[in-house]
Amino acid sequence: MSPRWKPNPGVRTGRHVVHNLHVHLVFITKYRRGAMTGEMLIRCEQIMREVCEDFEAELKQFNGEEDHVHLLVHYPPKVQLSKLVNSLKGVSSRYLRQEYDAHVRRYLWGGHFWSGSYFAGSCGGAPLTVVRQYIKQQRPA
């Protein structure tokens, strides 16, 4: 790295890319039924952290209530957001249904856990000073 570049722990680098991509995701349970317990939310967070690691992403924050969850994910540009979402919802649904089957069956039926839709919002962005610094760094020496 150039001595002019001061590393920022929030900005990730790859071979040909400097990025700082965050997305806010919200998943709701099917029919907005209150199927989640506190114990299930803790397990759901563990599952989603593991899925993020498989995608070389990082689950920065997780929160939820009985009928929805919020995630803040820091992900690399090579990850297709729709594939990440499909894995997060699919894997968590499978494990939560297996581990809490009797409880889940009281609220949900038909083999579904999450609603088919989701919210995804981009978060933040690079301050102009960081962009200017990057552009200056790209000048030939």
Side-chain angles (χ1 to χ4, degrees):
M1 285 242 168
S2 167
R4 295 178 289 175
W5 183 262
K6 293 180 182 160
N8 180 341
V11 177
R12 297 165 98 186
T13 60
R15 185 172 169 93
H16 298 288
V17 64
V18 177
H19 61 91
N20 189 17
L21 301 172
H22 288 85
V23 64
H24 174 204
L25 298 170
V26 180
F27 305 148
I28 60 171
T29 57
K30 189 76 171 180
Y31 312 115
R32 196 77 194 236
R33 307 278 273 180
M36 302 279 275
T37 64
E39 182 182 333
M40 288 175 72
L41 285 169
I42 292 168
R43 180 64 178 129
C44 186
E45 180 179 3
Q46 293 169 345
I47 294 165
M48 290 188 173
R49 280 193 191 284
E50 292 170 8
V51 171
C52 284
E53 288 174 12
D54 291 343
F55 279 83
E56 297 177 21
E58 180 184 0
L59 181 59
K60 293 282 205 175
Q61 289 186 3
F62 178 93
N63 197 350
E65 293 180 22
E66 60 188 17
D67 63 350
H68 69 279
V69 294
H70 293 266
L71 296 85
L72 179 63
V73 180
H74 190 198
Y75 66 100
K78 68 181 180 179
V79 170
Q80 260 187 331
L81 196 54
S82 61
K83 289 189 178 184
L84 175 61
V85 167
N86 286 340
S87 287
L88 285 166
K89 289 171 74 173
V91 172
S92 63
S93 174
R94 189 168 47 254
Y95 280 113
L96 291 173
R97 282 188 155 282
Q98 285 174 357
E99 296 172 18
Y100 302 95
D101 185 53
H103 176 77
V104 171
R105 275 191 282 133
R106 287 193 315 201
Y107 295 92
L108 302 168
W109 54 91
H112 299 285
F113 190 87
W114 300 111
S115 167
S117 60
Y118 62 92
F119 169 82
S122 61
C123 299
L128 288 177
T129 54
V130 172
V131 175
R132 284 190 192 108
Q133 188 176 10
Y134 171 76
I135 291 170
K136 286 179 185 176
Q137 175 191 346
Q138 298 306 308
R139 289 190 185 146

